[in-house]
Amino acid sequence: MPIRTRLIDSNPPPSSAITPRAVYEDRRTLLKALALGAAGSALAGWAARDARAAMTGPLATTRSSVAGAVTMEKATALKDATGYNNFYEFGTDKDDPARYAGALKIDPWSIEIEGLVNKPGRIALDELRKISPLEERIYRLRCVEGWSMVIPWIGYSLSALIKRAEPQGSAKYVEFVTLADPKQMPGVRSSVLDWPYTEGLRMDEALHPLSLLAFGMYGEALPRQNGAPVRVVVPWKYGFKSAKSIVKIRFVEKEPRTAWDKAAPNEYGFYSNVNPGVDHPRWSQATERRIGEDGLFAKRRKTQLFNGYEAEVGQLYAGMDLKRFF
Ligand SMILES: Nc1nc2c(c(=O)[nH]1)N[C@H]1C(S)=C(S)[C@@H](COP(=O)(O)O)O[C@H]1N2
Ligand SMILES: [Mo]
């Protein structure tokens, strides 16, 4: 079944033909929901916690040729991926983002590129989306709290945007700054983090083809609780490195402080690579719970070094003491 393409005019055939269908169970429901259209969403109240109500419009994608970009593991149900979130700007409970992000204004949106680049400036969302063809990437994402999901993201390698900005030789790190608007984001009124939420990557990490600039998931533009309209997804690092609702990308010489490092430097290192051998002071990182696999007999999975992406990213850390640089 072809997916309507509303946001992108000229692009390759939609992924419906090429995505391994069994990989995500929700797609059929989703497409049915799209067919229902406005009537469907009107019926879908918060009370029903209808996952499709969070979706913000179809996006067409092309197959990814990046090594490691598509795991064959079963994707997490859409309702879990949109109902169990960390997005502290909307509150610290897992259902706060689904509850409070609905009013976030995502249009117009732009990202400001600044710092050590030859081409600084503001890029509007429409233009940003067209920098490289949108691909579907099915990534594991593991949260430092000990749970994980498998999500079919839509986006392109962050490297495409970085190259367009033409970083100068002195640019060694990339810093992400996300929206902090107390009028729209009730969590920002609390001091749980030093707002705005910021994150960072070393330049070679940011340039790695698996580092994704994401605009959508499950065949559609990102739901607000998942970081609409644009976020990063860095699958071999703990979830918090994947900053949501980005407004600024800054190229810097020194390792930037991050919101989590400021909050608890002994708990959250700059690298935060998924590593079963380095425990967080409060949570073991040896195993994880796959969201959706609950119940009495659900087994915890063994957490893999670099979240299972060692073959692709291990080289980035050759010779580094991962216990020291956690
Ligand atoms: N701006 C912002 N980005 C954020 C967070 C946040 O609180 N604010 N939480 C992070 C954490 S801890 C995780 S695990 C992931 C969760 O992404 P998901 O809800 O789309 O699964 O988002 C990350 N990005
Ligand atoms: Mo997280």
Side-chain angles (χ1 to χ4, degrees):
M1 194 192 307
I3 299 180
R4 276 182 299 146
T5 59
R6 200 174 70 208
L7 296 158
I8 303 291
D9 319 315
S10 58
N11 48 15
S15 64
S16 52
I18 52 176
T19 300
R21 274 186 166 272
V23 188
Y24 51 99
E25 53 183 11
D26 266 281
R27 187 139 193 167
R28 284 164 152 272
T29 332
L30 190 64
L31 292 170
K32 254 190 243 154
L34 290 175
L36 276 175
S41 12
L43 289 170
W46 151 253
R49 179 77 80 74
D50 200 83
R52 70 191 183 221
M55 304 310 278
T56 53
L59 278 183
T61 57
T62 179
R63 183 201 289 270
S64 180
S65 60
V66 170
V70 177
T71 171
M72 286 298 158
E73 283 180 77
K74 182 167 172 271
T76 300
L78 178 65
K79 70 165 179 15
D80 291 328
T82 56
Y84 190 91
N85 303 100
N86 273 337
F87 199 166
Y88 276 28
E89 287 83 339
F90 294 103
T92 54
D93 286 344
K94 296 291 179 268
D95 58 359
D96 282 341
R99 208 182 276 268
Y100 300 118
L104 179 67
K105 201 165 176 275
I106 51 174
D107 179 23
W109 195 277
S110 61
I111 285 187
E112 180 84 30
I113 305 285
E114 63 174 47
L116 305 168
V117 289
N118 293 336
K119 292 190 171 160
R122 193 172 281 282
I123 309 178
L125 183 65
D126 281 351
E127 195 190 331
L128 195 67
R129 275 213 193 94
K130 288 180 192 151
I131 287 176
S132 189
L134 299 180
E135 300 179 356
E136 183 163 78
R137 309 267 186 100
I138 306 178
Y139 284 172
R140 286 180 291 276
L141 189 74
R142 191 193 186 283
C143 178
V144 71
E145 292 162 349
W147 47 268
S148 61
M149 298 196 194
V150 173
I151 297 184
W153 300 105
I154 297 173
Y156 56 73
S157 294
L158 175 63
S159 63
L161 173 62
I162 295 177
K163 283 171 188 155
R164 187 182 181 276
E166 294 181 14
Q168 296 162 3
S170 51
K172 299 283 189 272
Y173 294 88
V174 183
E175 183 181 9
F176 304 92
V177 182
T178 75
L179 184 71
D181 180 359
K183 291 200 290 294
Q184 303 190 72
M185 301 170 133
V188 171
R189 287 174 230 144
S190 104
S191 56
V192 56
L193 288 175
D194 181 12
W195 311 108
Y197 188 104
T198 59
E199 257 308 333
L201 294 170
R202 211 170 60 188
M203 184 62 87
D204 59 344
E205 299 178 317
L207 285 172
H208 191 282
L210 283 176
S211 290
L212 186 72
L213 191 66
F215 300 90
M217 60 188 229
Y218 296 85
E220 292 206 48
L222 283 171
R224 290 168 172 80
Q225 57 264 47
N226 295 90
V230 57
R231 67 177 293 176
V232 287
V233 186
V234 191
W236 68 95
K237 293 178 178 278
Y238 293 118
F240 60 87
K241 299 297 288 183
S242 296
K244 295 174 167 181
S245 304
I246 295 168
V247 292
K248 198 174 278 188
I249 298 180
R250 199 180 274 148
F251 292 78
V252 296
E253 183 161 8
K254 293 212 174 67
E255 183 185 290
R257 295 296 302 277
T258 70
W260 286 105
D261 160 58
K262 284 189 216 166
N266 59 324
E267 298 190 19
Y268 307 103
F270 178 78
Y271 285 93
S272 293
N273 290 315
V274 174
N275 190 339
V278 179
D279 279 336
H280 180 278
R282 287 181 286 142
W283 303 294
S284 161
Q285 301 303 327
T287 64
E288 66 200 57
R289 176 172 71 95
R290 181 62 51 82
I291 297 296
E293 294 179 345
D294 307 303
L296 222 46
F297 303 106
K299 263 183 70 190
R300 288 179 73 90
R301 290 164 185 257
K302 281 208 162 86
T303 290
Q304 296 170 269
L305 182 60
F306 300 118
N307 203 20
Y309 297 93
E310 184 179 7
E312 290 81 16
V313 305
Q315 260 312 108
L316 295 174
Y317 310 102
M320 249 176 82
D321 178 353
L322 298 174
K323 286 202 160 72
R324 180 164 169 229
F325 297 101
F326 63 99

